[in-house]
Amino acid sequence: MDRPQLPLNALRAFEAAARHLNITRAAMELCVGQAAVSHQIKALETRLGAQLFRRLPRGLALTDEGAALLPLVRDAFDRIGATLDRFMDGRLREVLTVGVVGTFAVGWLLPRLPDFAAAHPGIDLRVLTNNNRVDLAGEGLDCAIRFGDGSWHGAAATELMPAPLSPLCGPALAARLSRPADLAHVPLLRSYRTEEWSRWFAAAGTPALTFRGPVFDSSPLMASAAAAGHGVALLPVRMFSADLVAERLVQPFPIAIDAGRYWLTRLFSRPETPAMAAFRRWIETAVATDESGH
């Protein structure tokens, strides 16, 4: 679309003067004389046929027309600046904002982020953790990694990996557990998914117990409590393999239940960008490599 030549210098002078409400400070910021700033503003007012400022004894005040123009000019300059900031070594960097349930972020994604950065230096990855309750649109996320059954309204879901749940606890507490029924004598740490322990006891062939113990909205926090000896937690074992290797956590029983899987999700209404596609391909490959043992 053809556009008349934009008076960028005049718009810069207007934005600086409107921000400071002072010609002298605007001139200092722009490294020009006060007369130059006044001239540019006057030229812009002439072009628009509207007065943008009222001149006061000790500065400026925006007119209604100036107040209406300022947010548009400021937004345009901010967007231009943000785009210029995305260039590195002559390439345009893509920003990718991913929401990740905290358990997956700590237990799987974090150690592999350097691999993604090395494979995709042109993508500026921003990771926001959550407790599995996420609003893709409201939080400005390109995509999100969640735990569940893969069914979220309005979202496309790509399965990443299963995450069977099994009891985990500290070594001292594990030494007191020889059979599932022994869990009746220790605190059971619970998540907001209250049915998981009942399902595990059913899988273990043990009558469900009367639960006692705190409720957590974060599996990593619950795992820390378990490692500290505060009780037994039902957790996705795969996400805490480092704690098992270091013997901070112990799996007293091999019985596990399938309460959900990890999924990469995005809104159906949001077309997949090149950065989103690159992240999806990378994480699918990384998961497959883990599962094949290579």
Side-chain angles (χ1 to χ4, degrees), residues 39-291:
H39 174 75
Q40 292 288 354
I41 292 173
K42 184 61 177 177
L44 183 60
E45 290 178 324
T46 299
R47 175 168 182 161
L48 297 177
Q51 185 178 353
L52 302 175
F53 294 101
R54 294 193 304 274
R55 275 66 175 177
L56 304 176
R58 294 189 176 182
L60 303 172
L62 285 166
T63 63
D64 290 344
E65 291 77 10
L69 179 62
L70 178 59
L72 302 177
V73 172
R74 181 173 292 164
D75 179 66
F77 280 134
D78 286 346
R79 293 173 64 183
I80 292 171
T83 300
L84 294 178
D85 287 343
R86 288 167 55 195
F87 277 88
M88 182 188 73
D89 301 328
R91 293 175 298 174
L92 179 64
R93 294 180 63 85
E94 290 188 80
V95 176
L96 180 67
T97 304
V98 181
V100 188
V101 59
T103 310
F104 189 90
V106 175
W108 192 92
L109 182 61
L110 184 60
R112 294 167 177 80
L113 286 181
D115 296 336
F116 178 79
H120 300 283
I123 297 178
D124 183 6
L125 181 63
R126 300 177 183 178
V127 178
L128 307 180
T129 58
N130 58 66
N131 64 354
N132 208 46
R133 296 173 180 175
V134 63
D135 179 356
L136 281 161
E139 297 177 37
L141 301 175
D142 296 303
C143 49
I145 296 172
R146 311 188 201 184
F147 178 82
D149 60 6
S151 178
W152 289 278
H153 178 70
T158 300
E159 183 179 337
L160 296 179
M161 65 177 71
L165 306 181
S166 189
L168 297 180
C169 60
L173 196 53
R176 296 164 48 189
L177 304 174
S178 59
R179 56 193 181 120
D182 293 338
L183 292 171
H185 309 296
V186 299
L188 301 180
L189 310 181
R190 294 166 290 160
S191 77
Y192 59 86
R193 295 183 293 271
T194 56
E195 79 287 350
E196 290 174 347
W197 269 117
S198 296
R199 290 186 55 196
W200 187 86
F201 280 116
T206 301
L209 305 176
T210 300
F211 302 123
R212 54 191 178 90
V215 177
F216 297 82
D217 72 347
S218 161
S219 290
L221 181 60
M222 188 162 56
S224 295
H230 299 318
V232 181
L234 197 58
L235 295 166
V237 177
R238 185 172 183 176
M239 295 298 106
F240 297 95
S241 57
D243 295 284
L244 291 167
V245 171
E247 298 184 346
R248 290 187 292 268
L249 289 172
V250 176
Q251 183 179 3
F253 310 111
I255 304 162
I257 60 169
D258 183 0
R261 295 166 181 255
Y262 288 108
W263 305 78
L264 177 64
T265 66
R266 66 172 177 84
L267 292 174
F268 281 120
S269 59
R270 176 73 186 277
E272 190 176 53
T273 66
M276 292 164 64
F279 183 76
R280 174 180 52 78
R281 290 191 295 266
W282 171 80
I283 200 169
E284 286 179 320
T285 300
V287 168
T289 300
D290 280 359
E291 292 178 343

